């Protein structure tokens, strides 16, 4: 399914429940048309991961996700061998008898024993969307590996040979900017910084993702959340995902508008630290009293 313009991208994404602005729709369109990876940076909770999921849904493609973490290496991203099955295979050969040792060793590295990790799976399944999530948590060596893969869209497995994507996968990388990524990786990608949405667009997002939330409650929730994001004393300001969770929690309790009791009992959907909960509760007390 082809996307014919940035406006078409915005419409298709909206159809999945993802509301984006013109700038983001344009960079997604360019990324798809130029077959370049898309690097998304921004604060946690601004919808970077959700965008990759929405693109996959809009295009009807499988989503393959690689979650990065400290210490991840190429093995976790590419492939591994199914050691238990290899052992069972060897025992079966021994029981059968008369098997050449060299042939037995070769048979251990057959495709049937290969465990494809996300990068290899995306290359083999393409067309697909490959999401490399929180790439800033990985180290320099892993970045270099990613750069090599994204330059050729192929990997070499010594025991089997080279696997090359017939069609380059759509690649989305996300970063919370806990560290700076290297220029070489950034040059390979189209770049976009995702900010928290403005009030009207966040209300639109809530209404699109959860139409059961009333217009009045959605606007009240977003107004409170956006004022909380301006505070500098919160350990983790709420993102759009927390806004959505909070609005849904209030709706489930039958709240038609925010009151102090309902807000206090549902704060676990909005903030994730006790200290933040205390600060937000005090702020709500003043806001709702006014």
């Amino acid at each position: 399914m082809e996307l014919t313009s940035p406006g078409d991208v915005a419409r298709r994404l909206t159809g999945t429940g993802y509301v984006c602005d013109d700038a983001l729709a344009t960079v997604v369109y360019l990324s798809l048309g130029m077959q370049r990876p898309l690097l998304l940076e921004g604060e946690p909770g601004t919808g970077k991961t959700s965008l990759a999921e929405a693109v996959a849904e809009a295009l009807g493609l499988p989503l393959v996700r690689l979650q990065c973490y400290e210490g991840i290496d190429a093995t976790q991203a590419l492939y591994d061998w199914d050691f238990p099955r290899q052992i069972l295979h060897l025992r079966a050969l021994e029981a059968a008898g008369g098997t050449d040792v060299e042939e037995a060793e070769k048979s251990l590295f057959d495709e049937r024993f290969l465990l494809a990790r996300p990068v290899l799976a995306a290359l083999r399944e393409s067309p697909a969307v490959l999401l490399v999530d929180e790439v800033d948590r990985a180290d320099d060596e892993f970045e270099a590996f990613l750069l090599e893969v994204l330059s050729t869209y192929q990997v070499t497995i010594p025991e089997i040979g080279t696997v090359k994507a017939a069609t380059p996968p759509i690649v989305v990388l996300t970063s919370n900017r806990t560290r700076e990524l290297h220029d070489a990786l950034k040059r390979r990608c189209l770049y976009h910084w995702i900010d928290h949405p403005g009030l009207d667009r966040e209300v639109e997002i809530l209404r699109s993702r959860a139409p059961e939330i009333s217009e009045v409650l959605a606007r009240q929730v977003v107004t409170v959340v956006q004022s909380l994001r301006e505070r500098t004393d919160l350990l983790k300001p709420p993102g759009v995902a927390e806004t959505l969770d909070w609005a849904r929690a209030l709706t489930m309790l039958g709240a038609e508008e925010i009151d102090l009791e309902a807000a206090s009992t549902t704060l676990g959907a909005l903030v994730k630290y006790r200290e933040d909960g205390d600060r937000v509760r005090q702020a709500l007390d003043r806001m709702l009293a006014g």
Side-chain angles (χ1 to χ4, degrees):
M1 182 186 296
E2 292 188 5
L3 298 172
T4 58
S5 67
D8 188 25
V9 170
R11 285 190 296 274
R12 297 283 181 84
L13 293 179
T14 299
T16 71
Y18 190 97
V19 180
C20 66
D21 57 22
D22 292 342
L24 182 54
T26 299
V27 77
V28 169
Y29 173 72
L30 294 174
S31 173
L32 296 174
M34 298 168 66
Q35 294 188 331
R36 296 280 295 277
L38 177 59
L39 172 59
L40 301 173
E41 284 195 329
E43 297 296 326
T46 50
K48 302 182 294 296
T49 299
S50 298
L51 176 63
E53 296 169 347
V55 168
E57 183 179 344
L59 295 175
L61 297 176
L63 175 72
V64 182
R65 178 175 179 173
L66 173 63
Q67 176 63 54
C68 296
Y69 51 87
E70 186 177 350
I72 189 173
D73 61 25
T75 300
Q76 280 81 42
L78 279 177
Y79 68 94
D80 207 345
W81 294 102
D82 192 338
F83 182 68
R85 286 192 64 200
Q86 287 174 318
I87 292 297
L88 289 174
H89 176 66
L90 271 183
R91 288 176 178 170
L93 291 178
E94 289 173 357
T99 303
D100 180 81
V101 174
E102 186 175 344
E103 289 300 318
E105 289 179 352
K106 286 182 181 179
S107 69
L108 288 176
F109 298 101
D110 188 83
E111 282 259 8
R112 57 186 160 151
F113 301 122
L114 186 67
L115 299 175
R117 302 304 186 198
V119 171
L120 179 60
L123 295 178
R124 297 173 83 177
E125 295 175 22
S126 197
V129 176
L130 172 61
L131 167 61
V132 183
D133 218 3
E134 298 185 311
V135 66
D136 53 316
R137 297 178 64 183
D139 57 21
D140 294 351
E141 185 177 351
F142 189 76
E143 260 192 67
F145 155 73
L146 275 181
L147 183 62
E148 181 181 355
V149 172
L150 297 179
S151 297
T152 61
Y153 293 109
Q154 67 180 36
V155 295
T156 299
I157 302 172
E159 299 86 352
I160 292 177
T162 299
V163 177
K164 183 176 178 64
T167 302
I170 297 166
V171 181
V172 178
L173 303 96
T174 75
S175 167
N176 293 328
R177 208 173 182 182
T178 57
R179 69 172 179 86
E180 287 293 335
L181 302 179
H182 286 276
D183 288 343
L185 183 62
K186 285 188 172 183
R187 281 196 299 269
R188 181 65 191 146
C189 305
L190 298 186
Y191 176 86
H192 189 77
W193 175 270
I194 297 187
D195 275 318
H196 287 292
L199 190 146
D200 288 337
R201 189 157 70 87
E202 192 161 5
V203 170
E204 186 182 356
I205 291 169
L206 255 64
R207 300 281 289 144
S208 173
R209 300 291 294 274
E212 72 275 10
I213 299 170
S214 70
E215 175 77 25
V216 172
L217 181 61
R219 189 162 291 274
Q220 284 185 329
V221 165
V222 172
T223 299
V224 169
V225 170
Q226 296 223 342
S227 68
L228 293 176
R229 288 188 191 132
E230 296 175 359
R231 298 174 63 106
T232 59
D233 59 345
L234 296 184
L235 296 173
K236 186 183 182 301
V240 176
E242 284 77 29
T243 307
L244 183 58
D245 283 347
W246 193 36
R248 281 174 168 160
L250 289 165
T251 299
M252 286 183 65
L253 293 180
E256 296 181 1
E257 59 182 31
I258 299 178
D259 61 68
L260 186 57
E261 181 180 357
S264 295
T265 56
T266 55
L267 276 185
L270 184 65
V271 291
K272 312 301 178 180
Y273 293 91
R274 193 191 77 175
E275 297 88 343
D276 284 352
D278 292 340
R279 295 183 182 108
V280 170
R281 195 170 284 106
Q282 292 172 6
L284 285 172
D285 195 6
R286 291 192 298 270
M287 291 172 66
L288 296 177

